[in-house]
Amino acid sequence: MRAPTFDLTLLRTLVAIADTGSVTAAAKRLAYTQSTVSMQLQRLEAQLTVSLHEREGRRLRFTPEGERLLAHARKLLALNDDAWSDMQARQITGDLTLGIPEDYASLLPSVFAYFHQLYPAVGLTVQCGTSAHLVEQVKASALDLALVTRQRHSPGGDVIRREPLVWAVGVHQQPSMSDPIPLALYTPGADVFREVAEQALQAAGRDWRVAYTSQSMAGLAPIVTAGLAVVVVTRSMLTPMLRPLDESSGLPALPMIELALHRAPHRPSEPARRLGELIREQLAASSEAL
């Protein structure tokens, strides 16, 4: 005799009721009428010949049998959704190019790993460069996507994260905070951090000198950790060897910067669209922890 089969639509309604706490809220989530949700719950109870719920005022509470079925329902729906995602993902093929400043690459390793897991047939190429250069590359359709620091003179892009800038020094050693302040700065044109630092010091009436320059934090870090200069970074760029300075340092407060996702002017490919969604989700989630 063939074993009965659960209707996943009914199970999805059951989970929606559990997640939202009421038939009314579940109906809104599923875009059903309240009567449809109630009817589907009744169908499940009729099929199993058990009571799955009881009323507590306006709220609905599951019986022990309802709780048991709910646990099974979540597992079955997760398997179903994973199977659909897997079968759809493996149909996506093509090549994809992403531009990103070297200092932001550390934000995305989990995104790259997950993207490859979901879309193994997509060839992803990552190109590092300055934000200004990468924006021009995207505009010229030489890149599909670019995650960059939003430029003051050329804003554009879709802002997906805002981060505070901070002054940082070596965790064990730091330079004197008297004028002129020794700074480790990005090469002119490499990013907006240099411009922001100089404008903040000028507005505060402080004097500074350029002690070291580089196009990336990898080049600036050695002189900063040695205690020879102060650097401007985002909080996500802080390493165990760097310590942020607070207002007691006498240095002026720094503004927020924006990370923006730029897309090539042509219609985005399916791989580009999906990678963009993953980047947005990852950066939005991680920014909440800052």
Side-chain angles (χ1 to χ4, degrees), residues 10-239:
L10 302 184
L11 294 184
R12 201 173 293 279
T13 297
L14 183 76
V15 170
I17 294 172
D19 289 345
T20 61
S22 71
V23 169
T24 301
K28 184 176 181 180
R29 171 187 284 192
L30 298 170
Y32 292 160
T33 63
Q34 293 184 41
S35 60
T36 297
V37 172
S38 297
M39 181 183 66
Q40 290 181 343
L41 182 58
Q42 292 168 5
R43 283 180 57 192
L44 264 178
E45 291 179 323
Q47 289 174 359
L48 296 170
T49 65
V50 296
S51 177
L52 300 175
H53 77 288
E54 54 190 30
R55 288 284 180 179
E56 278 189 350
R58 293 185 176 183
R59 294 188 65 82
L60 179 150
R61 186 177 71 84
F62 286 107
T63 63
E65 291 79 8
E67 293 289 350
R68 286 171 56 197
L69 178 60
L70 180 62
H72 291 302
R74 292 190 188 281
K75 294 177 183 177
L76 289 171
L77 290 172
L79 284 173
N80 175 81
D81 295 347
D82 284 347
W84 270 105
S85 295
D86 180 66
M87 295 308 297
Q88 290 182 328
R90 294 182 186 281
Q91 297 173 13
I92 296 176
T93 61
D95 294 318
L96 173 62
T97 54
L98 168 71
I100 185 170
E102 182 179 338
D103 294 331
Y104 291 160
S106 61
L107 296 174
L108 299 179
S110 60
V111 170
F112 295 150
Y114 188 46
F115 184 80
H116 179 69
Q117 178 184 338
L118 290 176
Y119 314 111
V122 174
L124 172 62
T125 299
V126 180
Q127 175 181 320
C128 291
T130 66
S131 291
H133 176 68
L134 294 174
V135 169
E136 292 305 314
Q137 291 286 91
V138 170
K139 289 180 178 179
S141 295
L143 294 171
D144 295 298
L145 299 168
L147 177 67
V148 301
T149 306
R150 202 176 197 198
Q151 305 295 293
R152 294 167 181 252
H153 53 80
S154 177
D158 181 15
V159 176
I160 59 176
R161 177 164 167 162
R162 292 176 173 84
E163 276 200 60
L165 289 175
V166 296
W167 303 99
V169 293
V171 68
H172 299 300
Q173 302 180 75
Q174 72 174 62
S176 168
M177 291 293 105
S178 59
D179 290 353
I181 304 293
L183 299 182
L185 296 175
Y186 286 91
T187 305
D191 218 320
V192 300
F193 290 21
R194 179 179 183 132
E195 177 186 348
V196 167
E198 292 179 340
Q199 288 180 351
L201 290 171
Q202 183 175 9
R206 300 296 301 269
D207 191 18
W208 71 93
R209 66 180 179 87
V210 179
Y212 196 80
T213 62
S214 174
Q215 287 196 349
S216 71
M217 190 58 203
L220 299 176
I223 196 169
V224 177
T225 56
L228 301 178
V230 181
V231 71
V232 174
V233 294
T234 65
R235 288 201 174 277
S236 64
M237 290 166 59
L238 288 169
T239 70

